[in-house]
Amino acid sequence: MLRKLMSLPSGRVAKWVVLALWIALLIPSMMLAGKLGDVERNDNSAWLPSNAESTEVVEQAEKFQSTDTVPAIVVYDRPGGIARADMAKAEADAQRSRTPKRSKASKASRDGHRA
C-alpha cells in the first residue's frame, strides 16, 4: 500500500501533472515578485531609529538630490598625451552637458595621457 502511494507521483501521467502544478505556482509568484521592489525600502533611514543623526542626514540630503539626473564620468584618452585642443574639446563637452552647480571642470591626469 505504501509502495503504491509513494510511486504515484512518478507514474507516466502523474509526473506531467506535478510539472504542470509547479508551473502553475511559479508563474503567478514570479509576477508578484516583480512588484516587490515597489514596496521595499532599503535606505539607511529604514533601518535606523528616527532620531539617529544618520537618519537626519539622509532626510536633509534628499532635499538637495535631483531624481532626474544621472552622474557621469567621461574620460578622453590619447596614447601620445592630451593636447590643448583635447582639453578644449573636453571643456566644451562639459559646458554643453553641464547643469548649474553640478558639473566639475575638466582635469588632465598626472601622466598627461587622459583628461
Side-chain angles (χ1 to χ4, degrees):
M1 174 75 179
L2 185 60
R3 184 179 191 120
K4 188 173 185 177
L5 182 65
M6 296 303 282
S7 66
L8 183 65
S10 64
R12 286 182 171 226
V13 176
K15 61 182 161 189
W16 294 107
V17 171
V18 170
L19 178 67
L21 286 173
W22 272 108
I23 291 173
L25 289 172
L26 286 175
I27 290 175
S29 64
M30 289 176 133
M31 292 171 65
L32 292 174
K35 296 181 180 184
L36 184 59
D38 295 341
V39 295
E40 68 183 357
R41 190 167 168 216
N42 291 328
D43 59 344
N44 288 340
S45 61
W47 303 102
L48 296 172
S50 61
N51 61 352
E53 290 178 359
S54 299
T55 306
E56 294 173 12
V57 170
V58 168
E59 290 171 358
Q60 293 295 322
E62 286 175 352
K63 295 177 184 177
F64 300 103
Q65 293 175 345
S66 175
T67 58
D68 59 344
T69 60
V70 177
I73 297 175
V74 180
V75 177
Y76 296 86
D77 184 28
R78 183 180 296 245
I82 298 293
R84 287 181 192 243
D86 299 326
M87 286 300 291
K89 169 76 169 128
E91 191 60 40
D93 290 347
Q95 287 292 337
R96 192 172 13 170
S97 64
R98 185 170 289 160
T99 57
K101 299 180 185 177
R102 293 274 182 182
S103 183
K104 305 270 187 205
S106 300
K107 196 172 175 182
S109 64
R110 289 185 185 140
D111 64 1
H113 292 271
R114 291 171 190 83

